[in-house]
Amino acid sequence: NTISLPFTDNFENGLGNWIASGQDWAVTTDTFRGGSSSVTDSPAGNYLDNTDASLILAGSIDLSASTSPVLTFWHKISLAYNYYHPNDYAYLDFSTDGGFTWSNVKSWGPGTITTWQLVQINLNDAQYKVSDLKIRFRLTSDSSYQGDGWYIDDLEIKEKDTPNTISLPFTDNFENGLGN
């Protein structure tokens, strides 16, 4: 199925827009940015040894007619780090062929982001302006030392806002309210 813009998911209604594999991705109320829940790869605590957990958008996004699409989401991460085994990572991947092949767009780890951080990915590049773009969040780990995992909230795919243009010099006496 094709997802139209704007697309938002704050995970308040579960994972109906997503396909989870490799581990128990689930909605949690333990931590969240907006609303009362977020999604995580490890709702019961730390992720498992040798994890390869994916959360894949079930539908495809049609960006072929978009002018300035952007993906935004909030996240926090706790990926275990050991000097001898720095192998725990979180990945944001895109597929431009409906999920047959994947390309890494951004990765994090090992390490920790303790407060909610905004991620913005410009999708204006021609390689993403296709009719069947898919998104995948993926967490991988080795067999030693685990962390609390990856929390994701308030995902949105939309046309980038274009700011209003104001000519200089600019004056406003506020007689007409806060319109400017």
Side-chain angles (χ1 to χ4, degrees), residues 31-34 38 73-79 108 111-119 148-154:
T31 184
F32 47 86
R33 190 208 162 257
S38 65
F73 62 92
W74 291 82
H75 75 154
K76 44 192 245 185
I77 298 174
S78 176
L79 300 174
W108 297 269
T112 302
I113 300 171
T114 58
T115 59
W116 287 99
Q117 180 183 69
L118 178 64
V119 176
D148 190 30
W150 199 3
Y151 295 87
I152 302 165
D153 202 1
D154 297 335

Side-chain angles (χ1 to χ4, degrees), residues 11 30 34 43 52 67 77 80 95 97-98 117 130 134 146-147 165-166:
F11 304 103
D30 291 343
D52 190 350
T67 55
I77 298 174
S95 173
D97 58 11
Q117 180 183 69
V130 296
K134 292 185 81 66
Q146 287 69 47
T165 303
I166 297 176

